[in-house]
Amino acid sequence: MEINTLLDKTIAIAREAGAFIRRERQSFDLNKVEHKGFNDLVSYVDKEAEKIVVRGLQEIMPEAGFITEEGTINKDGEVYNWIVDPLDGTTNFVHGVPVFSVSIALMKEGEIVLGVVYEVNNNECFYATKGGGAFCNDTPIGVSPTPSLASGLIATGFPYSAFEEVDKYLGLLKDIIQHSHGVRRIGSAAVDLCYVAAGRMDGYFEYNLNSYDVAGGVIILQEAGGKVTDFSGGDDYVFGRELVGSNEKIHEELLGTVRNHW
């Protein structure tokens, strides 16, 4: 299938799942929340949204495998694999905080070639294909021109587990707070990456991530002119559980600050 046709169909699937999530949020009962682990929440909404996404993606590319957060399917593709987070920002969702998203990425032989992140509440669909640029609701987007960390607004995520690293993280957070315009914790890694891509934020860092948290947003940020690395400055940022993303101009400074503490 031609990549732009595939992209259009993926966007439609993300929007369908997002519409389901939006409807369910109106009458959601906090008592229906389950715990996959300490502070790791899940609900029937996550699971049903994932089924919507998986079913739609299987129809358009039956040969592809899947990496999904909720594990509703177990299939490895020889060439293509979808990486799906049906509800990135579940904690926000269950508490009624209006920032959560559907994130979908397509990996071809280990390289991400397509990404879609649909932020449900603002009805903003961010998307990109390899070499095709980045967009939000059909409008091209690009990273900010901010030249330094001192004039940048930085996104991050607070740890909800892996607390053995929390002291290092708090030291890093203190350093960045003191040497930037500020730090924001939105609650969806996929949205964080897209906000950097759109120039709303200038950089982002987080650890204890999963591939489905970041895969969709990574290609969107890269196609918007940004840079993404792991904490060592390498390229193990999809499966390496740590990521620094930026507008590229502040990347070495932000990365250096992270490495001073990690």
Side-chain angles (χ1 to χ4, degrees):
M1 186 180 295
E2 197 269 332
I3 190 67
N4 289 328
T5 302
L6 184 61
L7 175 63
D8 289 343
K9 292 180 179 294
T10 306
I11 290 170
I13 292 166
R15 286 186 174 276
E16 179 185 358
F20 166 76
I21 292 168
R22 188 184 302 112
R23 290 194 302 270
E24 294 303 310
R25 178 55 249 177
Q26 296 174 4
S27 58
F28 185 76
D29 182 354
L30 193 60
N31 292 321
K32 296 179 180 179
V33 174
E34 303 171 28
H35 291 260
K36 294 186 289 185
F38 181 72
N39 284 339
D40 192 2
L41 308 181
V42 66
S43 74
Y44 74 92
V45 179
D46 301 69
K47 297 174 183 178
E48 290 303 316
E50 185 167 291
K51 291 177 183 178
I52 291 170
V53 173
V54 168
R55 182 169 60 246
L57 296 177
Q58 284 183 310
E59 290 177 1
I60 62 176
M61 188 177 280
E63 73 274 20
F66 285 88
I67 299 170
T68 63
E69 178 171 15
E70 306 309 334
T72 59
I73 186 172
N74 182 19
K75 179 183 178 183
D76 292 326
E78 291 185 7
V79 178
Y80 293 100
N81 285 281
W82 294 102
I83 305 177
V84 176
D85 192 335
L87 179 47
D88 189 46
T90 298
T91 301
N92 281 353
F93 173 84
V94 301
H95 288 280
V97 178
V99 181
F100 37 86
S101 63
V102 180
S103 178
I104 304 171
L106 179 62
M107 180 171 281
K108 178 183 180 182
E109 297 177 332
E111 180 183 25
I112 299 173
V113 296
L114 178 154
V116 174
V117 174
Y118 178 51
E119 202 290 301
V120 175
N121 296 277
N122 286 328
N123 191 29
E124 288 189 322
C125 192
F126 301 87
Y127 53 90
T129 56
K130 186 71 175 179
F135 299 83
C136 177
N137 292 352
D138 299 327
T139 300
I141 57 174
V143 295
S144 73
T146 301
S148 66
L149 181 60
S151 53
L153 184 63
I154 308 302
T156 190
F158 298 154
Y160 60 86
S161 62
F163 293 127
E164 63 274 10
E165 307 285 4
V166 74
D167 288 338
K168 289 195 296 185
Y169 173 81
L170 291 175
L172 169 58
L173 184 62
K174 178 181 178 181
D175 198 350
I176 292 180
I177 288 172
Q178 292 176 325
H179 296 94
S180 70
H181 272 185
V183 177
R184 298 291 181 267
R185 202 282 199 206
I186 294 173
S188 166
V191 173
D192 287 327
L193 288 162
C194 291
Y195 280 10
V196 179
R200 300 172 187 175
M201 303 285 187
D202 305 294
Y204 162 70
F205 70 94
E206 190 169 350
Y207 77 95
N208 200 34
L209 294 162
N210 294 294
S211 60
Y212 42 77
D213 297 320
V214 300
V218 158
I219 188 172
I220 295 168
L221 176 52
Q222 291 170 327
E223 288 294 322
K227 185 172 183 177
V228 182
T229 67
D230 57 32
F231 282 8
S232 298
D235 59 6
D236 189 19
Y237 45 79
V238 175
F239 296 102
R241 301 187 63 80
E242 59 187 40
L243 184 150
V244 178
S246 76
N247 66 356
E248 188 172 28
K249 291 186 177 183
I250 71 166
H251 198 85
E252 291 307 314
E253 189 178 4
L254 178 58
L255 178 61
T257 303
V258 170
R259 294 181 70 175
N260 284 340
H261 294 270
W262 224 257

